[in-house]
């Protein structure tokens, strides 16, 4: 069984992203604890993780588009694949009571998330900083420039 706790190693020095990531890690801990309880609580915990992740990824997608990222990029593709898997597992838990598959998803998320945060999300945070992108106020963000994006993409 894998575990994941919030630590400074997951922090990216982008306050909104860090707060969202911290919440994700906390929800994973709640999900982990739910494996020891009734299946209905497990379903509720997994549903909370899925709901959070939908908003979490939508927030990052909004930022990427606001900075001029192509709509079809590897970061967005990975988000789509993770959400697809989460929805499929939640459906299997609801329909078939497949706790084993839900546990496998949990274990995979615990392994996937730190790597995703250290690579794709860290690059996004760095790009946000270099472009002076203010996520709380997208109107203050300078218009995307191909050269600015090229610097972030390399």
């Amino acid at each position: 069984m894998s575990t994941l706790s919030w630590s400074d190693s997951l922090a990216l020095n982008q306050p909104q992203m860090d707060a969202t990531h911290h919440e994700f890690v906390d929800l994973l801990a709640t999900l982990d604890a739910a494996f020891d309880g009734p299946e209905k609580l497990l379903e509720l915990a997994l549903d909370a993780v899925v709901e959070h992740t939908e908003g979490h990824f939508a927030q990052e997608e909004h930022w990427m588009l606001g900075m001029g990222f192509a709509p079809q990029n590897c970061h967005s593709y990975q988000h789509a694949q993770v959400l697809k898997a989460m929805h499929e597992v939640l459906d299997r838990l609801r329909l078939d009571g497949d706790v084993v598959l839900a546990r496998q998803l949990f274990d995979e998320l615990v392994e996937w998330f730190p790597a995703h945060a250290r690579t794709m999300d860290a690059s996004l945070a760095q790009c946000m900083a270099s472009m002076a992108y203010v996520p709380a106020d997208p109107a203050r963000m300078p218009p995307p420039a191909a050269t600015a994006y090229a610097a972030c993409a390399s």
Side-chain angles (χ1 to χ4, degrees):
M1 175 182 351
S2 303
T3 60
L4 179 64
S5 300
W6 181 258
S7 69
D8 288 342
S9 69
L10 293 171
L12 301 174
N13 299 315
Q14 200 300 318
Q16 274 184 272
M17 193 180 292
D18 287 341
T20 301
H21 287 175
H22 196 162
E23 183 178 341
F24 180 75
V25 169
D26 289 347
L27 286 167
L28 285 178
T30 300
L31 176 60
D32 188 27
F35 283 101
D36 294 329
E39 191 175 304
K40 187 60 182 171
L41 288 181
L42 176 60
E43 182 183 320
L44 291 171
L46 181 54
D47 190 49
V49 171
V50 172
E51 184 178 324
H52 164 86
T53 304
E54 288 171 339
H56 169 176
F57 289 175
Q59 176 179 324
E60 290 181 11
E61 300 293 326
H62 176 76
W63 295 341
M64 286 187 278
L65 288 173
M67 290 185 296
F69 280 56
Q72 301 298 320
N73 62 72
C74 60
H75 195 159
S76 296
Y77 176 77
Q78 194 172 103
H79 284 171
Q81 294 305 305
V82 169
L83 276 176
K84 180 178 184 232
M86 292 174 112
H87 281 284
E88 289 173 0
V89 171
L90 182 57
D91 288 346
R92 290 278 302 274
L93 181 62
R94 285 180 175 150
L95 298 172
D96 305 329
D98 197 336
V99 174
V100 172
L101 189 59
R103 171 55 77 180
Q104 183 180 352
L105 173 68
F106 169 80
D107 290 339
E108 294 293 331
L109 289 172
V110 166
E111 292 297 318
W112 166 81
F113 179 71
H116 179 81
R118 280 192 306 271
T119 58
M120 294 189 179
D121 288 342
S123 293
L124 176 58
Q126 183 178 14
C127 190
M128 291 166 77
S130 71
M131 293 178 72
Y133 183 79
V134 180
D137 185 6
R140 291 185 47 202
M141 206 284 284
T147 54
Y149 173 70
C152 292
S154 23

